[in-house]
Amino acid sequence: MVQRITYRRRHCYATKSNVVRKLHTPGGKLTIQYVKKKTKGPQTPSGDHGRIHGVPRLAAYKYRNKHMAKNKKSVTRAYGGVLSGGAVRERIVRAFLVEEQKIVKKVLKLQAAKEGGK
């Protein structure tokens, strides 16, 4: 016959915070294990580029120095643990295009001055 299992805690409804996994113990007994909720993890503050790759998705208190080393909280890149790779790339491209636009304006202004001088 199938072995029945029950919740260990007083909360008896199948909600997001009360998810369980069935598992067998080494002694062959069927038991349950409470599953922790997945967090959103670190995200970029500006733009919709989503998550920062390379930094684990943990609860907020786990990012404190007591629980996680400093080198685990960031990635080796400019704006490492703050912005995602896509956000950094977009900033670089935007800055480059702004500078190019300034140069084009200057060249057009010089050409207009030459045409007006003749």
Side-chain angles (χ1 to χ4, degrees):
M1 194 173 132
V2 178
Q3 196 175 0
R4 291 173 184 260
I5 56 170
T6 56
Y7 287 114
R8 289 183 184 167
R9 300 173 186 166
R10 290 168 191 262
H11 190 211
C12 62
Y13 299 104
T15 58
K16 288 191 292 185
S17 63
N18 202 27
V19 178
V20 293
R21 267 176 49 197
K22 295 177 189 174
L23 63 115
H24 290 278
T25 61
K29 193 172 142 191
L30 185 67
T31 183
I32 62 169
Q33 187 178 55
Y34 283 91
V35 180
K36 287 191 173 160
K37 290 201 275 186
K38 275 281 190 183
T39 62
K40 285 175 88 174
Q43 295 185 333
T44 57
S46 62
D48 191 27
H49 295 287
R51 307 203 177 7
I52 298 170
H53 299 293
V55 181
R57 287 170 57 173
L58 298 170
Y61 78 93
K62 291 275 188 179
Y63 290 105
R64 295 190 191 134
N65 288 343
K66 189 166 98 176
H67 296 282
M68 188 188 289
K70 194 172 184 179
N71 64 345
K72 300 280 188 282
K73 295 179 209 171
S74 66
V75 288
T76 52
R77 179 180 59 233
Y79 300 100
V82 181
L83 295 176
S84 65
V88 173
R89 187 185 303 117
E90 186 181 292
R91 280 185 174 204
I92 292 168
V93 169
R94 190 186 306 134
F96 175 75
L97 291 174
V98 165
E99 290 299 317
E100 285 287 309
Q101 192 65 34
K102 285 179 188 175
I103 292 167
V104 169
K105 272 186 183 177
K106 196 183 285 185
V107 168
L108 288 174
K109 198 173 186 181
L110 286 171
Q111 284 179 352
K114 275 187 182 178
E115 292 294 319
K118 285 183 182 177

